[in-house]
């Protein structure tokens, strides 16, 4: 498949118009390689390990959620130089779907809601909300364990969730107003926790967003490359 | 003691000039109450619980690390109205020491270094670095447990630390360049963890900053009001 | 009446959408007190005197034209602390209608036009214009006297007026283009007077805006608290 | 005298470095005419009347306090075209001394202090303060009458003054802190009057600033052209 | 003809709405003279020579493409004072049509396309594109000679052109995408030439824009004043 | 030589502190390759041709004047992808000296002054000025011919010059004030030419800046890669 045709397919899947304004220029084809695409790898981040695995798999295209070129650059040095050398030497393409995929049907939040078997799901201004039959501990289990619970909650009948770092005071208020018993996201800040109007379950960013990339790979017949951050709870 | 004299003492302790520019107008006497100060309470945050306890203790002054008026306001409603009603009706003063206390001698980072028995401590552009005889698990224990370790490290000979949310890529590089084996702070973000050049120990914001307020209370004969966030690791 | 119902009524009277953009966050419920509203006081400004009178009258709500929290604050000290202590301790609400009330039907400019018995009144981009049967001295009399006349005019057939400080060169030109013989407002500046294309009558801000608050109080059965600035012409 | 020599003299009198930053490009030689200067006229403003009188007097140079080109222009039309046509056709120079003359020795505030016979005069951040033996009514008389007194004051032992529109809350506080019994300036605003910490005497901008231009003309042997705004108190 | 009627005619010819945003306040009647217009001169720039010739021709109005007051001014000195003195003393009007005339029908780019006998002309986002039967040397000849060719091209079947300084990378890409064999404009920059995707013919700004003013003068019965910059190729 | 040692040498030659502020992040090591530097190539621009020649020459380092990453990027596609692929695959370093080299001793302007045999050379705020024994045509010859002369000048006793695009009105005035008979630079704009206070000689950017890179290569024993833009005067 020509790279243009591949891009068109991806844009149907996760329309660029859905992206936040701050993603302008940071999604789509972020590194340009060869034009013929037959083998595709997929991951959450373009880490050095992920890129090397994709090269080993002879991929023509690597699809990720987070661009490695977030801050605009006027030089290619250090970690970025290593990454770009690997990608460009292998003539591999790098394609990014970020907040457009968060919001897409079958995207990040949809995949998360499915993983947690939410029902009656509807959108929030970011993320979604639905009926839930799980306890906090069961949610943690589904996400690989070691989540943190801020506040106390036993029974979660209604769960609001935002894949990625979504503990924003305005979103928390929206969730509460819509009857959520708890809010699931990543990267809690002290100042937000102090005034949170409802209990919060904090997972890792990776645990919340990887499922969507994995499910996408499965459906498309791509190879998913798993590379979670090394994280351990100390006693 | 007159409130002016009290403020002068506090400014010797944590000179306002040490504060970050973004703290302008957000430290010092943030709520003005009666002029005669005899009883002082102290806490990390001016939570509703903390304010009520201070009133119960008949305090004239409450000293905290985080201002409740961070975002400039043109109305006093909701949570802020409740807090201000309690403080102003009781004629209580509220005094804030923030980044000036982080950097002060005997301040937040100093107290933390002492708690962890660091030796040969020297300043970084934010936070400090010193020799450490503890394992990650022992550090976690000293901080109340349940820290998170990003990456792997067994023996920490040199530890860099920043009280509060200090996992900043530039600080991490500074720590690495100065030979740190690990970096202790709070509020890790996924994007920072992905490119961290050294292992990171993540405690809560509260666990890192409360010790300094507690030690200050002890030394001054104030009443410390403990109000940690409710936080639990899920299996 | 519940405070929400009261707010709804006020918003019908002076729809927030009519306000200038700079009023964002500075109109509506500016200090939140008790929820049940039975007694309402009204004034032009929330001066210390006005607030004390409203407390003496056991008001649940004080309605004013000018917010006391115009500049966003990160501390509650000095004059503002005194005002907020009085309001919050008494659990009184403070509600502000500003440029939305200037523009409202039956609002500031309407009340002024009525006071001066203008006929055939129509709106300007700010303020209004109408037929007038009064001399400058008669206008001054209706406004409590001691107005100042910039330029010379005997007979005013058409009068343009803007409640508050409205001597803006663009408004003066609009008034002249629409055939005004004089322009009535407050707070004349030297540079504007020097190039004014038509004679100007300068009243006090208070004299121009208080009538609308007074009329509103009368119609609603509220208690109006009069507190004009102390002002005297020196020989 | 060559125009360059004239400018040098003026810059000794009112050094451009003393000017506020907002005067950049708006003081000095604002309209360039002939190079030989023998006859000089002076006024507060370059009004059409003033310019015509200066032409009638065959002046080579007109010195004023307020530039007629305050707002930067990209076209010369209307009132400005008339003024520029008169000046340029007559080959007359126009020289402006503004905030640099306010602050100069023998400048605007100095002349005002002298007119009111202040003693022990010292500078404020803007304007000056000194001992005064006059009542408010006597001050008004010295300034041509019809001043306005905001608040009440009988005996003024210490007077703060700012030529031009200087009723700024920060200046008022400075004056109060330095023991002023009253503050003299022009162009009072309602919001400032409402929270003024001391009584204020409001003269016209012209009455406060013209004396300095008059005195300068007298000392230099220039012709002063008087053109006060037409202003009348209505009963 | 009254000047208002003249302006209306000009605005039909080159509607102000067509102008770029940066032309706001810099087109239309830029210097206001007498109201009755019978004799009109026209030129590309309001140079001192052009203004003097227009005065010699007793013109009431001078129409030009480039305003002499591009940068907003707060003083009238030096070169601008000379120009304004000549115009205002002679009571002459100065009218500017800039990017609105570039884009107008029968405007700058239209006149250029006609001069080069382009056929099948259509608009680009700026400038136009059409079929061309000329070699680069023939184009240069039509424009008075001494053009510069960047890159190599023999036969130009399709030519893109932008009157004035239009070698913008985005325009060059648009031209290439629409099949242009060469791009004609003025004021080539090194950085643009280095990455130009098609050959470029560089004429002078004057040679590209004067034809439209000349043709306009001819059609309107105005006197065109020719004043090209002195320019010579050195061996 | 290790790349760090090479960079130190270059920084002695053209200290980064000399650079304009807009060069921040755009000079120095712009693409990072291998660490051991033995073979160095040099050119004015990192064009595709230059990079390919440097690879053919097995260079470890390419030194240029103009960075190919001027505009900050968040993607590596198109022309930039090709360039980066070539550089990174070959593990070649790219080092940029821009306005710091313009100003350096033995830098761009020095080399140009030497090429034209100027004597008594002194710095201007940008560029330099000196005594000259050449006619315009002789200057053109020394720069490869085909310069353009704006205005007329026969004998140039004093020449001001700025390598690169330096026809700035303020620089032209500075040159005139210092007695220059002509100003040599590149990229003349129509608006600047129209009000230029002295005759101007316009060479190409390349002709003015390449000599310094060539001379540097000669002195250092590097290989200079010549790649002038294709440019031809049309009759």
């Amino acid at each position: 498949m020509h790279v243009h045709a591949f891009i068109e397919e991806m844009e149907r899947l996760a329309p660029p118009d859905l992206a936040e304004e701050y993603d302008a220029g940071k999604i789509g084809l972020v590194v340009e390689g060869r034009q013929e695409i037959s083998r595709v790898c997929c991951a959450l981040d373009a880490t050095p390990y992920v890129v090397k695995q994709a090269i080993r798999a002879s991929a023509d295209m690597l699809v990720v959620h987070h661009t490695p070129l977030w801050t605009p650059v006027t030089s290619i040095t250090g970690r970025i130089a290593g990454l770009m050398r690997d990608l460009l030497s292998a003539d591999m393409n790098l394609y990014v779907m970020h907040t457009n995929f968060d919001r897409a049907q079958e995207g990040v939040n949809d995949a998360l809601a499915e993983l947690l078997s939410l029902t009656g799901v509807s959108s929030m201004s970011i993320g979604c909300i639905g009926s839930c039959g799980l306890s906090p501990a069961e949610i943690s289990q589904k996400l690989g364990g070691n989540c943190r619970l801020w506040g106390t909650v036993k029974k979660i009948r209604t769960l609001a969730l935002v894949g990625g770092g979504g503990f924003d005071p305005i979103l928390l208020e929206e969730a509460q107003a819509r009857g959520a018993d708890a809010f699931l996201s990543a990267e809690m800040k002290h100042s937000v926790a102090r005034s949170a109007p409802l209990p919060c379950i904090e997972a890792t960013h990776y645990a919340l967003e990887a499922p969507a990339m994995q499910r996408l790979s499965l459906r498309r017949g791509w190879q998913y490359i798993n590379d979670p951050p090394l994280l351990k709870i100390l006693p």
Side-chain angles (χ1 to χ4, degrees), chain A residues 199-221:
Chain A
C200 294
I201 302 172
E202 184 192 9
T204 62
H205 206 109
Y206 194 89
L208 295 177
E209 298 191 332
M213 304 311 277
Q214 247 165 321
R215 191 173 70 163
L216 177 65
S217 301
L218 197 68
R219 292 188 182 172
R220 293 263 149 190

Side-chain angles (χ1 to χ4, degrees), chain A residues 112-126:
Chain A
L112 198 51
E114 190 187 293
L115 180 71
L116 300 175
S117 310
L118 295 203
T119 58
V121 175
S122 65
S123 293
M124 298 204 302
S125 56
I126 294 180

